[in-house]
Amino acid sequence: MNLPTMDTLPSTHFDGVDLLALAGRHGTPLYAYSASAIRQRIAGLQLALHGMDATICYAVKANGSRAILELMAQAGLGADIVSAGELQRALRAGIPPERIVFSGVGKNDDEIGEALAAGIQRFNVESLDELHAIERIAGERGATARAAVRINPDVDALTHAKISTGKSENKFGVSIAEARRWFDARATLRHVRLDGLHVHIGSQILSLEPYRLALQRVAAFWRELRDAGHPVASIDVGGGLGVRYRDGDVTIAPADYVAVIREALAGFDGRLLLEPGRYLVAEAGVLLTRVLRIKHGEARDFLVLDAAMNDLARPSLYDAWHDIVPVSGEARPQAIYDVVGPVCETGDTFAQARALPACAAGDLVMIRGTGAYGASMASTYNSRPLAAEVLLDHGRHALIRRRQTLDEMLAGEQSASQWETT
Ligand code: LLP
């Protein structure tokens, strides 16, 4: 059941696939995901939840590739979506609408309408204005929307500020005081069944305490609602489980996480929803990239890769650490590099002063822990086409996204030849 830790992964093979041969076949930059590692993560979480009325709604934003979503569908998972695009991805991958929850602070009218038409399980509602929009749109369609209020518990998730979501100054959710008013006015809602609670305090969480605190607050509110006669059919505890990006990162074991949930929500007999993203896919992915050249600068040596911040934005956005490992079986002396991409920004840096086995132009290198928020956050900045993606499974591999062509990248653009006045 144990996922091999990144240390024990052989650096020439991943999920039984020879990475040098793989890169030779598909080119670089190339994202490679291990299906077995993803299945192991799913199974581990499912085991921890055994016996509970729980649905894992995978957070599509972490990695929305069709083949990845199909793995989730095959394992019986649902989806946590934040846009009509993610709704379509989830549906096309075979995730049943009744296992789809819709989160996000800025759902527009069309997206709300599409989600209603698809028959999703529920909306995680983030503001009173949104609640009214859902009421109006459901009314126009003669539908009833199911809704959960996203509680902002004002808890510090002790993670990077840019991925912290549960403090009162963050844009997400509403206070318990406001949620109480929504439930008190529940009878005025004719097209929305408000019978759920939702909380998501942040991402890459490595400590149980913030979870415990947030869930205790949500549980106290649930008990209050129950005593006031408001039915609460589901409690969605969000995602956020952290992964091991580097030596020293101590992650939360699924059993410990679930124990905290069980304890906080003791007595709750409705459905539990979970929205993990990163936990299921991050460590199952590597970004394969080639060394274009070594540049000896005045102050330091630069390892210039053919992958850049447009392929993997996490280091430049969050100063995130990703292990960088040459794909090679041979022992080499250590060297110190700034590992950079070709994009014309100083921020296009994957690592600074990193000790690595010495590299040469043409070497294949992998950037680990990139299965989550890697390809899904990629752009074509500097007019660099989107990288290809492959799925690995016990020695086999399948291309799941071909490299974007230049024509595909430019599709949709045209000269300003047809001027109109409004
Ligand atoms: N549920 C909601 C409502 C969310 O906003 C998120 C992530 C998740 C679940 C899944 O969280 P996870 O289990 O993956 O931590 N781009 C950033 C992470 C942004 C997370 C956004 N929300 C990064 O690369 O670290």
Side-chain angles (χ1 to χ4, degrees), residues 289-294 303-307 341-342 360-363 384:
T289 164
R290 274 197 202 279
V291 176
L292 289 174
R293 58 183 53 89
I294 315 273
L303 193 67
V304 186
L305 304 178
D306 69 358
D363 280 358
R384 294 168 45 87

Side-chain angles (χ1 to χ4, degrees), residues 143-362:
T144 302
R146 296 193 75 173
V149 52
R150 177 166 179 178
I151 303 292
N152 182 322
D154 196 19
V155 164
D156 186 346
L158 306 175
T159 185
H160 192 286
K162 285 189 185 164
I163 53 176
S164 181
T165 53
K167 294 279 293 163
S168 58
E169 64 262 31
N170 298 138
K171 67 179 174 180
F172 300 98
V174 302
S175 67
I176 286 178
E178 176 167 351
R180 187 177 291 124
R181 292 195 290 275
W182 292 18
F183 275 92
D184 287 344
R186 220 166 59 95
T188 63
L189 297 169
R190 297 186 46 229
H191 306 284
V192 174
R193 183 146 34 113
L194 178 65
D195 63 356
L197 299 178
H198 174 232
V199 66
H200 170 78
I201 55 172
S203 199
Q204 183 55 12
I205 298 172
L206 295 174
S207 157
L208 273 172
E209 285 321 304
Y211 277 124
R212 201 188 312 273
L213 199 55
L215 290 174
Q216 280 167 353
R217 289 185 184 166
V218 170
F221 184 47
W222 154 63
R223 292 195 179 93
E224 177 194 323
L225 291 172
R226 181 194 56 190
D227 296 347
H230 295 300
V232 176
S234 68
I235 298 183
D236 183 333
V237 298
L241 267 187
V243 300
R244 184 174 170 281
Y245 283 113
R246 63 184 298 184
D247 280 349
D249 282 346
V250 181
T251 55
I252 298 171
D256 296 340
Y257 173 59
V258 173
V260 164
I261 298 172
R262 277 184 201 264
E263 195 189 322
L265 302 184
F268 175 66
D269 58 3
R271 171 158 300 175
L272 178 69
L273 301 169
L274 301 96
E275 303 171 347
R278 185 191 318 263
Y279 180 75
L280 298 181
V281 293
E283 289 177 70
V286 297
L287 174 59
L288 293 170
T289 164
R290 274 197 202 279
V291 176
L292 289 174
R293 58 183 53 89
I294 315 273
K295 174 173 170 177
H296 301 288
E298 285 294 320
R300 46 189 78 179
D301 289 339
F302 297 96
L303 193 67
V304 186
L305 304 178
D306 69 358
M309 62 188 286
N310 71 296
D311 302 299
L312 175 65
R314 302 195 72 256
S316 34
L317 268 183
Y318 319 115
D319 294 317
W321 175 287
H322 287 269
D323 281 341
I324 301 173
V325 184
V327 180
S328 148
E330 65 195 40
R332 301 180 188 175
Q334 294 270 304
I336 307 281
Y337 299 111
D338 274 17
V339 184
V340 301
V343 160
C344 299
E345 293 204 26
T346 301
D348 184 23
T349 298
F350 292 118
Q352 279 184 306
R354 184 76 65 93
L356 289 180
C359 290

Side-chain angles (χ1 to χ4, degrees), residues 341-421:
V343 160
C344 299
E345 293 204 26
T346 301
D348 184 23
T349 298
F350 292 118
Q352 279 184 306
R354 184 76 65 93
L356 289 180
C359 290
D363 280 358
L364 187 67
V365 163
M366 66 174 144
I367 308 185
R368 283 183 173 155
T370 49
Y373 306 110
S376 67
M377 292 176 69
S379 76
T380 57
Y381 184 44
N382 274 212
S383 293
R384 294 168 45 87
L386 296 175
E389 296 170 68
V390 288
L391 191 65
L392 317 179
D393 197 2
H394 290 100
R396 298 180 308 163
H397 65 93
L399 185 65
I400 58 169
R401 182 195 185 111
R402 62 184 159 75
R403 189 171 306 286
Q404 192 178 40
T405 64
L406 219 56
D407 282 342
E408 285 166 347
M409 188 175 68
L410 301 179
E413 296 184 29
Q414 56 189 9
S415 319
S417 53
Q418 291 174 357
W419 299 93
E420 297 176 34
T421 51

Side-chain angles (χ1 to χ4, degrees), residues 21-43:
L22 189 72
R25 168 111 169 73
H26 294 291
T28 52
L30 176 69
Y31 274 104
Y33 312 116
S34 160
S36 339
I38 294 172
R39 287 195 207 97
Q40 276 184 41
R41 280 287 159 106
I42 297 170

